[in-house]
């Protein structure tokens, strides 16, 4: 694990938060925190006043904690806030419960409102790892106090990483506390089609009434509004109406707002005025945890080696991981076979046909041999000298992550080894990458060079 001095940790923290929230929030809150010391995984900090401390505790502490865990790769790290010149601050611990969007009298609103929220996608079923911890903390904070913190919340990242799940989880958490709340999930494509229909049917006022009186608008894949001027115009006014009414807005995209060049600047500037968080591809431990959680929820007994094999084989897309899980279970059921490595290998062979066809095991072994000045027969042979062990494990890892080859095929290539040996190599390299930044950089260089061959 990388070790950092407190000034270095805090510098990385402020840099990360500066890309996620507005400059005014940074000046008003984050930069008012003074880190004092790091002791037993606790960062002791001071703030100027009780009022400011309460505001930071309520609105920013979950994000600060999540960011620190990601920066230090330490899930035990905590932050303790103290008022300057006082010994301690007795602030109650956060409890996860959404605040009301409206008064008790308003909770009797029409419950027939169509929210489109997926009841199965909740925070309880979302697996948290380093790749999504910051985004999850932001989503939970929004669900707890909608309209008052991080508004809008903008979540971005590649397809299949869990953005939509988090958005539905926000909606479910709000509705759990306020069943009468008007929480609306909609894709940008549906939003566009509704506008077109409203224009054609002369029902634009009805459309505006529907969307501008919502308590929480959750809109997915906002990037599809690019080049749609009429839709952007309507969304701009809808956004402003909701924001002025202190209603929550949650938006997702496949990229940062400033990267959407064909979206109006006035929209982009409003998106970044709230909180912008990203979701990265999950690491190996998170992928394994996702599969175990899915097996638990569906009451499926799946062998550990099957879970590890799927997690190692599909490394960048949660949707594909879950798709592989579903196909393995369905195939085993329909063919009256046990869920084992034979079934898993067959399904993963089909999943592997879509990518990385130009990279071969031969390419990878040649590159590793050249870099470490090794003979190929030594690298792939049965002998186990110490100077060969690490290069061989790196080669196995790259073969698994950069090619479509199955674990048994890789093991066979490297001296007829068992697939469990390949799994062990992949787990070891993945662990080293997270603990040693220089090692991770070297593996990235290998990956880039091999992809360019």
């Amino acid at each position: 694990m990388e070790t950092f001095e407190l000034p270095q940790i805090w510098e990385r923290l402020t840099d990360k938060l500066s890309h996620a929230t507005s400059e005014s929030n940074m000046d008003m809150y984050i930069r008012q925190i003074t880190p004092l010391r790091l002791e037993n995984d606790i960062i002791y900090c001071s703030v100027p006043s009780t009022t400011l401390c309460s505001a930071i505790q309520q609105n920013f502490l979950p994000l600060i904690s999540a960011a620190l865990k990601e920066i230090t790769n330490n899930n035990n790290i905590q932050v303790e806030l103290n008022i300057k010149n006082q010994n301690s601050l007795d602030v109650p611990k956060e409890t996860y419960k959404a605040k009301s969007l409206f008064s008790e009298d308003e909770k009797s609103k029409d419950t027939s409102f169509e929210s489109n929220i997926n009841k199965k996608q909740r925070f309880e079923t979302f697996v948290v790892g380093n790749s999504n911890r910051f985004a999850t903390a932001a989503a939970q904070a929004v669900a707890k106090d909608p309209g008052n913190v991080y508004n809008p919340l903008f979540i971005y990242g590649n397809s299949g990483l869990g953005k939509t799940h988090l958005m539905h989880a926000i909606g479910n958490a709000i509705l759990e506390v306020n069943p009468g709340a008007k929480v609306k999930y909609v894709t940008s494509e549906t939003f566009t089609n509704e506008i077109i229909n409203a224009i054609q049917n002369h029902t634009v006022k009805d459309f505006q009434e529907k969307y501008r009186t919502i308590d929480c608008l959750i809109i997915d894949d906002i990037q599809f509004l690019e080049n749609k001027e009429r839709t952007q115009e309507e969304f701009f006014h809808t956004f402003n109406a909701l924001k002025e009414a202190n209603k929550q807005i949650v938006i997702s995209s496949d990229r940062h707002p400033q990267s959407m060049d064909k979206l109006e600047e006035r929209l982009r500037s409003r998106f970044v005025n709230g909180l912008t968080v990203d979701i990265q591809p999950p690491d190996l431990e998170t992928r394994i945890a996702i599969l175990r959680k899915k097996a638990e929820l569906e009451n499926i007994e799946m062998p550990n080696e099957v879970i590890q094999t799927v997690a190692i084989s599909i490394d960048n897309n949660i949707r594909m991981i879950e798709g592989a899980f579903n196909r393995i279970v369905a195939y085993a059921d329909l063919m009256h076979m046990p869920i084992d490595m034979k079934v898993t290998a067959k399904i993963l062979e089909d999943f592997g046909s879509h990518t990385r066809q130009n990279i071969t095991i031969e390419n990878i072994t040649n590159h590793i041999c050249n870099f470490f000045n090794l003979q190929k027969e030594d690298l792939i042979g049965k002998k186990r000298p110490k100077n060969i062990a690490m290069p061989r494990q790196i080669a196995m890892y790259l073969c698994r992550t950069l090619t479509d080859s199955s674990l048994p095929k890789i093991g066979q290539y490297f001296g007829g080894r068992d697939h469990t040996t390949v799994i062990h190599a992949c787990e070891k390299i993945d662990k080293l990458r997270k603990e040693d930044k220089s090692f991770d950089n070297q593996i990235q260089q290998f990956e880039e060079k091999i992809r360019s061959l």
Side-chain angles (χ1 to χ4, degrees), residues 83-108:
I83 302 171
K84 192 173 291 185
N85 298 327
Q86 290 190 17
N87 292 328
S88 64
L89 174 67
D90 186 17
V91 180
K93 290 185 178 180
E94 295 288 335
T95 55
Y96 181 70
K97 183 177 180 183
K99 290 185 179 179
S100 177
L101 281 164
F102 35 75
S103 68
E104 292 295 318
D105 293 338
E106 289 181 287
K107 289 185 180 181
S108 60

Side-chain angles (χ1 to χ4, degrees), residues 364-378:
I364 294 169
T365 52
N366 288 340
H367 181 73
I368 296 299
C369 285
N370 290 336
F371 183 86
F372 289 102
N373 193 26
L374 299 172
Q375 295 297 316
K376 186 174 179 180
E377 54 267 27
D378 293 332

Side-chain angles (χ1 to χ4, degrees), residues 267-285:
L267 279 175
R268 282 183 280 152
S269 64
R270 279 162 174 77
F271 293 165
V272 298
N273 195 43
L275 183 69
T276 305
V277 295
D278 70 324
I279 297 181
Q280 296 293 326
D283 57 23
L284 179 60
E285 284 81 0

Side-chain angles (χ1 to χ4, degrees), residues 3-41:
T3 57
F4 303 100
E5 297 296 329
L6 181 55
Q8 186 182 8
I9 292 174
W10 208 257
E11 182 180 356
R12 290 192 178 194
L13 174 70
T14 54
D15 180 65
K16 183 174 182 61
L17 293 178
S18 69
H19 289 87
T21 191
S22 66
E23 188 64 21
S24 60
N25 280 339
M26 291 297 297
D27 286 337
M28 190 177 299
Y29 300 105
I30 305 301
R31 294 191 179 106
Q32 300 300 318
I33 306 171
T34 302
L36 302 175
R37 68 185 188 278
L38 172 58
E39 186 177 300
N40 297 327
D41 289 335

Side-chain angles (χ1 to χ4, degrees), residues 96 116-127 160-176 185 218 220 294 297 318-319 322:
Y96 181 70
N116 299 325
I117 295 295
N118 185 337
K119 299 300 182 184
K120 293 182 179 180
Q121 294 186 316
R122 299 175 173 273
F123 286 121
E124 294 82 1
T125 58
F126 189 79
V127 177
L161 297 182
K163 300 186 301 295
T164 300
H165 189 142
L166 271 185
M167 297 173 88
H168 283 290
I170 292 171
N172 276 311
I174 293 172
L175 289 171
E176 186 176 337
Y185 168 85
I218 303 172
D220 212 349
K294 188 168 176 63
L297 291 173
I318 296 171
R319 195 173 293 135
E322 293 182 336

Side-chain angles (χ1 to χ4, degrees), residues 250-287:
V250 181
I251 304 167
S252 83
S253 174
D254 64 353
R255 54 194 181 276
H256 192 279
Q258 298 296 7
S259 297
M260 292 187 282
D261 297 335
K262 296 177 183 178
L263 203 65
E264 292 182 8
E265 172 58 31
R266 59 179 180 172
L267 279 175
R268 282 183 280 152
S269 64
R270 279 162 174 77
F271 293 165
V272 298
N273 195 43
L275 183 69
T276 305
V277 295
D278 70 324
I279 297 181
Q280 296 293 326
D283 57 23
L284 179 60
E285 284 81 0
T286 305
R287 300 196 299 273

